[in-house]
Amino acid sequence: MRRREALGLYPLRDLRRVADGGAWTATGPAPTFAFGPHAAVAALSGTRIRLRSRPEAVHPVLAVAVEGEAEPRRYRLTPRAGGTDDLIRLPPGLSALRLEATESGSGFRLDAVTVERAGRIEAGLVSARTILERLPPQERRPLRLLRRAFGLLRSVPPGEIWRRLTCAAATRRPPARYADWIETVETPALPSAQAAAALLAALPDRPLISALMAEGSVGAADLSEAVASLRAQLYPDWELLLVAKVSDPLRALAAEEPRLRLLSPEGLTTALDAALAEARGSFVAPMPPNARLAPQALLAAARRLAAEPRLDMLYSDEDRIGADGERRDPHFKPDWSPETLEAGFYTGGLALYRTALARAVGGFPAESAGAETYDLTLRLTERTDRVGHIPQMLCHRREAGIDPEAAIRALSGRAHRTGGLGSVRVLAPGHFALRREPRERPLVSIVIPTAGRDSVIGGRTIDLLAACLASLRETSTYASIEIVAVDNGDLRPQTRAAVERHSVRSVTWDKPVFNVAAKMNLGARAARGEVIVFLNDDIAVITPDWIEAMLALIAIPGVGAVGPRLLFEDGSLQHAGVVFGEGLPDHVCRGRPGDDPGYHGSSLANRNALAVTGACVMVRRADFEAIGGFDEGYAINYNDIDLCLRLGERGLRTVFCAEASLYHYESRNRVPTVDPAEQARFRRRWGARLARDPYYPEPFGIRPPAYELDAERFPAAARRMIEAWR
């Protein structure tokens, strides 16, 4: 440690020193050291440090406390031969540094802990060394390295290469505030009164929109505000059919506002059905009485309907109104996502439905009480996929609950109508797990490309393929499976014995080049199953019925690929779907706690995504063969992403299956290395389409993608919103 920093490491809690200077005993559940003194720690604020240590029987984690943040940022230190060595960029506002002795036994050692400031050159060299160390052995050969370097220089400017290296280990900034998004993105983009009048005059058609509202249990003030928000609309062609007990104030309001029609309540859903029967508009908008529409809401809807007249349903983003009247808890929604809808009523507060179709699917039957609009949405979208999304906050609500029992009835009805109900479970308020009962139990072929290597897991060296096969055979509950291992022809005797013991068919890749896409295609050709699962050999089963859960989704017409939740060895999240930023893929919420529900249930429940990882992906053989299998031009990277995207070109959706969980013993701190030629090829093929991810809203950050507002993304979001109002 440099003398000028004068940092020391002190036991903070749950620790007792043993006579040997580097030995410690944990005396409680959270053994933690603190760096000090405070002045020396504060002096490191905003700098890049290099932290090294020599641990035994412990996995150190650096906890970085920052002023104004409730929880510290945590970084698991990277084990290497001889100890840990990490570059970490400390954020401004640093208030404390701690080392947490996680996963330690009662006794452990932690020696040679040093912290030094790291300059740009040192950071670049350490980052380059780290990347080289984590390349596959065959890629470290001098000629391969030269080829990789020249390829990188052809596709990436030298200055950008240096920036990436020297910016290694940058800490994640705190998310931007929603108030900042309102101020810098939404407000400047809204049309003025004059501009709104011009937009209204330019509409080729002005459909009447019938808002349907039932008084329910809200107070008179809330109801009055909801009606007032309708009267403040920039779009005048609406009517409100209000189901409420008639009172003198409501009579006065109806006399004052000719677009308001009062209906007497006869039980909530029967009254809403009566309102639907009397609606004169070509679109109806069931509106919760605690909702407030933004003044531009119906104008935005009318403009979208004019641009896409074949739409049968249209929904917007929404947020909540706090007790103080401030807007908060924004719900930036994905574009139309059928499987996400089955996990919860995400389309929510403001949605327009084509009136004729809403009537044709049965309107609001009495049995849907408590989840009336959710049930209508489920039934209507069984008839049409012409569903549009307006990515603007057009609805504000005080609360947004849904009766779980009513939602279960609605989802059960959906399952019975579309394939047969297996089960419906409540995962959390507003989030559900719907599983259909498979009509068939097809043979599932699990194809595992393998190098037959060892890895250290749980402190023990294990044979990855042997452990994976044992987990599949001993833990999985689905009986009709076959396993095909694609090896390089050099399996060790003990690994070959495991292959035979678990009745695995072995296929040998006998070419001298490394090409995982070709190996998977070879395995698929040897497989006999109607359904294929491509699986890494560093996988272990957590949920025994993982195959059944994924089969229930792949059986849905229109679904082409399904991927499970994958967890690192320490239980943190490795994969919950792939998102795209700046045209390139990444795993969303990577490194979050394994039980983190994600953004509006994004990690908790099934949802649509553009792609899932090839570490475990299920496809139907017919669909796989129809697109020619994996593109072997992506020998190492992007072959899994490309597969999902080509299925998407055929109109097939990809689904993240939250009910299937597996361990993926990929290094949590692994630096992703990508062949520049493959990256350039991927950009040429998919760059234009992936400029915007329909399932990952634009204001969210992409470095890393975690559903958190990122001020750097605000200018692009503002430009897109301004364009939407032109």
Side-chain angles (χ1 to χ4, degrees):
M1 185 181 303
R2 292 183 181 176
R3 186 177 301 276
R4 63 187 176 84
E5 293 181 351
L7 276 179
L9 189 65
Y10 307 96
L12 181 64
R13 69 173 71 92
D14 294 347
L15 286 166
R16 180 170 58 84
R17 187 188 293 275
V18 183
D20 184 347
W24 295 88
T25 296
T27 60
T32 305
F33 300 88
F35 286 98
H38 177 74
V41 171
L44 295 175
S45 182
T47 68
R48 185 192 294 106
I49 63 169
R50 185 176 182 181
L51 190 158
R52 286 175 277 192
S53 69
R54 192 166 61 238
E56 293 179 17
V58 64
H59 297 287
V61 169
L62 181 69
V64 181
V66 182
E67 293 178 2
E69 296 186 20
E71 290 291 324
R73 311 179 190 187
R74 288 182 167 86
Y75 305 90
R76 186 186 181 106
L77 303 188
T78 309
R80 302 174 182 276
T84 69
D85 189 356
D86 292 88
L87 281 172
I88 297 174
R89 186 185 296 276
L90 298 174
L94 176 67
S95 61
L97 282 179
R98 303 185 184 96
L99 267 185
E100 299 174 349
T102 63
E103 301 178 32
S104 62
S106 58
F108 64 92
R109 295 184 66 88
L110 189 59
D111 294 317
V113 179
T114 63
V115 174
E116 296 178 314
R117 294 175 187 261
R120 288 170 60 85
I121 294 176
E122 181 181 10
L125 292 175
V126 172
S127 298
R129 183 203 67 183
T130 301
I131 292 172
L132 290 177
E133 288 177 346
R134 291 171 179 174
L135 287 173
Q138 65 270 23
E139 291 296 314
R140 299 180 203 163
R141 298 169 185 165
L143 289 178
R144 291 284 183 92
L145 289 175
L146 282 173
R147 176 179 172 272
R148 181 180 289 272
F150 284 126
L152 185 64
L153 287 169
R154 283 196 303 269
S155 60
V156 182
E160 174 61 16
I161 296 173
W162 182 245
R163 187 193 70 80
R164 293 180 187 179
L165 287 173
T166 57
C167 288
T171 58
R172 179 173 54 88
R173 290 194 309 274
R177 298 182 310 143
Y178 181 44
D180 295 334
W181 183 90
I182 294 173
E183 179 181 353
T184 61
V185 177
E186 180 184 90
T187 302
L190 295 179
S192 64
Q194 183 178 3
L199 293 171
L200 184 64
L203 285 174
D205 181 39
R206 285 170 43 173
L208 179 66
I209 298 171
S210 297
L212 312 179
M213 187 184 300
E215 180 180 24
S217 59
V218 302
D222 284 339
L223 184 61
S224 177
E225 288 181 17
V227 174
S229 76
L230 271 171
R231 301 186 71 192
Q233 290 298 300
L234 299 172
Y235 184 79
D237 299 305
W238 57 266
E239 64 172 359
L240 171 61
L241 290 89
L242 175 59
V243 183
K245 294 180 180 178
V246 178
S247 62
D248 290 339
L250 282 180
R251 288 193 186 93
L253 183 60
E256 178 184 335
E257 175 53 78
R259 294 171 293 186
L260 169 60
R261 287 194 283 159
L262 295 176
L263 298 176
S264 298
E266 301 173 2
L268 181 59
T269 53
T270 54
L272 279 182
D273 221 34
L276 175 62
E278 292 195 19
R280 296 179 298 211
S282 53
F283 282 85
V284 293
M287 183 175 164
N290 62 359
R292 316 286 179 270
L293 298 187
Q296 71 276 15
L298 297 186
L299 177 59
R303 296 185 72 236
R304 180 65 177 273
L305 292 172
E308 299 180 58
R310 297 183 70 247
L311 286 177
D312 291 318
M313 178 181 163
L314 183 61
Y315 63 93
S316 77
D317 295 346
E318 61 181 288
D319 58 19
R320 301 289 169 263
I321 304 173
D324 56 3
E326 295 294 318
R327 291 169 54 188
R328 58 190 62 185
D329 189 21
H331 190 177
F332 295 92
K333 301 176 184 179
D335 287 354
W336 172 231
S337 308
E339 283 65 49
T340 307
L341 181 69
E342 292 187 348
F345 187 26
Y346 85 91
T347 54
L350 175 62
L352 276 64
Y353 306 82
R354 190 175 295 277
T355 305
L357 189 54
R359 289 169 176 160
V361 300
F364 303 96
E367 59 268 22
S368 68
E372 302 86 353
T373 310
Y374 188 22
D375 184 60
L376 172 66
T377 305
L378 291 168
R379 284 182 283 111
L380 187 138
T381 54
E382 292 162 23
R383 297 275 193 97
T384 182
D385 61 358
R386 296 196 293 265
V387 180
H389 167 222
I390 302 175
Q392 298 182 40
M393 294 290 169
L394 301 182
C395 182
H396 320 297
R397 289 203 271 176
R398 294 199 181 278
E399 297 293 339
I402 187 170
D403 181 352
E405 292 185 3
I408 287 174
R409 289 197 302 272
L411 288 167
S412 299
R414 163 85 150 203
H416 284 302
R417 293 188 299 269
T418 59
L421 175 64
S423 62
V424 183
R425 294 185 297 113
V426 178
L427 300 173
H431 302 293
F432 308 93
L434 166 62
R435 187 182 299 185
R436 292 168 175 81
E437 186 67 36
R439 291 174 175 168
E440 301 175 351
R441 301 186 74 81
L443 176 65
V444 175
S445 296
I446 303 176
V447 174
I448 307 175
T450 182
R453 68 193 190 281
D454 290 342
S455 185
V456 177
I457 298 173
R460 297 185 302 113
T461 299
I462 68 167
D463 183 320
L464 283 177
L465 180 59
C468 178
L469 297 178
S471 177
L472 291 173
R473 289 297 192 192
E474 295 168 9
T475 308
S476 302
T477 54
Y478 192 77
S480 184
I481 65 172
E482 68 164 1
I483 304 175
V484 178
V486 187
D487 59 54
N488 297 327
D490 56 358
L491 292 183
R492 297 163 300 179
Q494 65 268 29
T495 308
R496 178 65 62 187
V499 167
E500 295 173 356
R501 183 168 62 253
H502 294 293
S503 303
V504 174
R505 289 198 295 123
S506 182
V507 182
T508 297
W509 169 255
D510 58 4
K511 294 185 172 54
V513 297
F514 179 79
N515 191 315
V516 69
K519 288 179 73 172
M520 290 189 289
N521 284 341
L522 177 63
R525 289 193 294 272
R528 298 171 301 182
E530 180 184 337
V531 174
I532 304 175
V533 174
F534 295 96
L535 192 75
N536 280 19
D537 63 2
D538 56 347
I539 293 286
V541 176
I542 299 174
T543 50
D545 62 346
W546 67 284
I547 293 178
E548 292 92 326
M550 294 171 70
L551 275 176
L553 289 169
I554 204 73
I556 299 174
V559 172
V562 178
R565 180 204 312 272
L566 297 180
L567 302 179
F568 287 113
E569 180 185 353
D570 65 0
S572 60
L573 199 61
Q574 193 264 338
H575 172 263
V578 172
V579 302
F580 291 80
E582 299 177 352
L584 292 176
D586 200 354
H587 290 196
V588 69
C589 295
R590 179 187 174 103
R592 293 284 183 86
D595 58 357
D596 186 335
Y599 181 73
H600 287 274
S602 63
S603 302
L604 180 69
N606 299 342
R607 65 178 179 82
N608 294 102
L610 275 178
V612 291
T613 178
C616 179
V617 58
M618 176 182 283
V619 295
R620 284 183 294 266
R621 172 183 291 280
D623 295 330
F624 181 76
E625 293 178 347
I627 63 171
F630 287 100
D631 184 338
E632 297 178 10
Y634 299 110
I636 303 172
N637 305 108
Y638 301 127
N639 43 67
D640 50 354
I641 309 302
D642 173 79
L643 179 83
C644 294
L645 295 176
R646 285 187 290 122
L647 288 169
E649 282 188 326
R650 293 177 60 84
L652 298 173
R653 303 183 297 276
T654 294
V655 185
F656 160 64
C657 178
E659 284 195 287
S661 294
L662 309 168
Y663 282 118
H664 184 199
Y665 297 125
E666 176 185 67
S667 170
R668 190 179 190 278
N669 288 322
R670 180 177 65 85
V671 175
T673 58
V674 177
D675 185 330
E678 288 187 330
Q679 186 175 102
R681 184 171 185 260
F682 184 83
R683 283 189 181 276
R684 286 194 301 271
R685 174 69 170 88
W686 297 108
R689 175 182 171 185
L690 300 178
R692 173 180 175 270
D693 187 329
Y695 304 113
Y696 189 72
E698 193 169 38
F700 291 135
I702 57 173
R703 293 186 298 270
Y707 290 103
E708 292 181 340
L709 290 173
D710 183 354
E712 286 189 4
R713 302 264 284 173
F714 285 4
R719 287 193 297 271
R720 190 180 296 274
M721 191 172 293
I722 290 170
E723 286 295 324
W725 282 108
R726 285 183 176 171

